[in-house]
């Protein structure tokens, strides 16, 4: 760390020209960190056709926004982002770099750490500044314990789990600087190319932003069980997730997986159906406001984390629940 290092840099992913929710949440965290660390919050956005992104990121807490608008960045491609992002980080010289714990973020962060010869903590849930140094907290031992890590090198890189931080209320009157940066990338030097990209069709509410998430596990008995969960989710404007075991059996798309090696949700209501409550699963839904579970085994671990529990067969209870909701809505 040198005397010139200061502040926090946030790498914000962009989807359809808008910053993703996790980017806004990380800006909220960055603002808190700079209260202790001093310095400014710099947001960096890569993409193509990024029109109003600078103003949006300032409204959510950035002091400075660096925009790298280039057709080469239309789709995420870690190899293409690395030269520019490394250069930006070296010039800004932040103490902390925040990256989303998303598929692109977890691809990017270790490569970036290697290139910058610094350390990275992935899957962080909080960061505290102690004696001027960032201390990152994350799950370990399959979600059974928490560890706190800190590094001697600067900047400290951290990937942040979604829904662990609070985005600020946007303030359109906030002022900041917006700068377009030019790319140093030589497209011909790329060893890999994105040839095509297929987006998995997602019906209904997005899992991370849904107020109600219904998770299905092996206790559903087969892929048909997910049809009922999807019906209920549609009726209540919720989203469907799953345990890893259900995804492994192809009962539902892999993108449904909630947990340590899947997605993190923190809805108002999480309904766990036929899920045993393994720590690996709870790492992705344990922060839900209310957990309700349906399980045939009264001793199932999931009941320990649940506010309400129904001991019973999901194949009887879930169709009956769908029917009741339909009646209420009619
Ligand atoms: C490194 C690592 C990472 C992992 N990451 C994840 C992760 O991200 N997400 C994840 O979910 N898992 C993850 N796992 C796997 C995890 O440990 C569990 O194996 C998995 O969550 C179990 O899924 P399940 O609850 O659906 O199945 P089970 O554990 O088999 O539980 C099924 C439950 O359904 C109940 N049941 C049975 N029949 C019925 C019925 N008719 N009606 C109602 N209930 C019924 C049973 O009583 C049981 O409690 C990971 C494991 C490892 C080692």
């Amino acid at each position: 760390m040198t005397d010139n290092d200061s502040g926090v840099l946030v790498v914000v992913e962009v989807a359809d020209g808008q910053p993703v929710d996790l980017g806004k949440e990380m800006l909220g965290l960055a603002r808190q960190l700079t209260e202790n660390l001093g310095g400014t919050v710099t947001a960096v956005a890569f993409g193509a056709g990024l029109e109003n992104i600078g103003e949006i990121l300032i409204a959510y807490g950035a002091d400075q926004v660096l925009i790298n608008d280039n057709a080469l960045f239309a789709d995420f491609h870690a190899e293409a982002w690395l030269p520019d992002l490394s250069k930006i980080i070296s010039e800004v010289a932040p103490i902390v770099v925040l990256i989303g714990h998303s598929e692109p973020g977890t691809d990017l962060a270790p490569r970036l750490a290697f290139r910058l010869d610094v350390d990275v903590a992935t899957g962080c849930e909080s960061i505290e500044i102690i004696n001027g140094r960032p201390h990152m907290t994350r799950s370990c031992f399959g979600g059974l314990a928490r560890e706190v890590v800190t590094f001697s090198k600067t900047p400290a890189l951290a990937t942040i789990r979604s829904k662990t931080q609070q985005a600020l209320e946007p303030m359109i009157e906030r002022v900041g600087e917006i700068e377009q940066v030019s790319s140093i990338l030589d497209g011909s030097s790329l060893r890999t190319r994105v040839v095509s990209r297929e987006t998995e069709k997602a019906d209904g509410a997005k899992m991370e932003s849904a107020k109600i998430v219904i998770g299905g596990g092996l206790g559903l008995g087969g892929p048909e069980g997910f049809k009922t969960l999807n019906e209920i989710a549609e009726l209540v404007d919720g989203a469907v997730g799953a345990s890893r075991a259900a995804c492994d059996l192809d009962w539902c798309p892999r993108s449904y997986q909630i947990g340590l090696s899947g997605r993190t949700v923190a809805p108002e209501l999480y309904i766990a159906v036929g899920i045993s409550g393994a720590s690996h699963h709870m790492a992705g839904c344990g922060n839900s406001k209310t957990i309700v579970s349906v399980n045939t085994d009264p001793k199932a671990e999931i009941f320990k984390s649940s506010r309400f529990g129904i001991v019973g067969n999901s194949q009887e209870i879930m169709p009956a629940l769908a029917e009741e909701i339909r009646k209420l809505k009619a």
Side-chain angles (χ1 to χ4, degrees):
M1 184 167 161
T2 70
D3 290 345
N4 294 331
D5 296 334
S6 76
V8 180
L9 183 143
V10 183
V11 179
V12 178
E13 281 172 47
V14 179
D16 301 325
Q18 297 295 314
V20 299
D21 286 349
L22 179 52
K24 298 174 194 168
E25 293 161 19
M26 290 192 295
L27 285 172
L29 170 64
R31 281 253 67 88
Q32 271 176 36
L33 294 177
T34 50
E35 276 172 25
N36 272 310
L37 274 179
T40 53
V41 174
T42 302
V44 179
F46 280 44
L50 304 177
E51 302 218 325
N52 305 317
I53 197 100
E55 290 79 4
I56 301 173
L57 296 178
I58 289 170
Y60 277 95
D63 297 308
Q64 182 193 22
V65 181
L66 304 177
I67 300 175
N68 203 340
D69 194 331
N70 190 316
L72 283 167
F73 303 134
D75 284 319
F76 171 75
H77 184 190
E79 200 188 339
W81 282 37
L82 281 173
D84 284 329
L85 196 51
S86 314
K87 179 169 176 275
I88 290 171
I89 293 172
S90 303
E91 286 169 1
V92 175
I95 292 176
V96 184
V97 176
L98 304 178
I99 299 171
H101 192 74
S102 57
E103 273 180 34
T106 48
D107 184 0
L108 186 66
R111 296 168 187 252
L112 196 57
F114 181 76
R115 202 172 248 258
L116 296 169
D117 190 24
V118 295
D119 306 299
V120 59
T122 53
C124 299
E125 291 159 10
S126 64
I127 303 184
E128 207 186 339
I129 306 300
I130 301 171
N131 296 331
R133 296 222 57 88
H135 287 60
M136 281 74 69
T137 301
R138 59 180 182 175
S139 282
C140 60
F141 297 116
L144 288 174
R146 297 270 178 288
E147 65 180 359
V148 179
V149 291
T150 191
F151 304 131
S152 53
K153 290 181 181 170
T154 302
L157 267 53
T159 68
I160 305 295
R161 284 191 177 270
S162 94
K163 300 296 164 204
T164 56
Q165 311 299 320
Q166 194 78 42
L168 300 174
E169 280 300 316
M171 277 172 54
I172 40 169
E173 57 278 19
R174 276 195 93 245
V175 284
E177 280 174 33
I178 301 174
E179 195 185 320
Q180 301 284 339
V181 294
S182 36
S183 176
I184 56 164
L185 177 68
D186 168 11
S188 65
S189 68
L190 292 176
R191 290 166 303 171
T192 54
R193 270 186 319 126
V194 179
V195 183
S196 72
R197 196 169 284 266
E198 280 178 33
T199 309
E200 201 167 68
K201 192 172 164 284
D203 296 324
K206 197 168 173 289
M207 208 194 287
E208 281 82 0
S209 47
K211 292 210 163 81
I212 302 178
V213 176
I214 313 173
L218 290 191
L220 283 180
E224 309 74 37
F226 278 95
K227 279 193 197 142
T228 316
L229 299 197
N230 275 310
E231 266 173 52
I232 297 175
E234 203 171 304
L235 287 166
V236 298
D237 197 19
V240 177
S243 70
R244 180 162 121 177
C247 297
D248 286 348
L249 288 175
D250 267 343
W251 290 1
C252 60
R254 171 63 62 194
S255 60
Y256 278 27
Q257 186 181 324
I258 292 174
L260 194 63
S261 45
R263 293 160 76 170
T264 307
V265 294
E268 300 287 322
L269 174 63
Y270 182 65
I271 309 178
V273 189
I275 291 181
S276 58
S279 61
H280 302 108
H281 184 78
M282 299 316 291
C285 62
N287 284 337
S288 305
K289 293 235 167 68
T290 302
I291 299 180
V292 175
S293 21
V294 180
N295 200 303
T296 42
D297 177 4
K299 294 206 174 89
E301 198 62 24
I302 189 82
F303 287 132
K304 292 188 187 153
S305 320
S306 306
R307 180 126 178 238
F308 302 103
I310 303 167
V311 179
N313 183 349
S314 67
Q315 285 151 41
E316 290 163 11
I317 290 166
M318 298 320 282
L321 179 64
E323 191 49 43
E324 281 306 312
I325 299 173
R326 253 185 243 111
K327 274 193 214 151
L328 280 173
K329 290 200 88 166

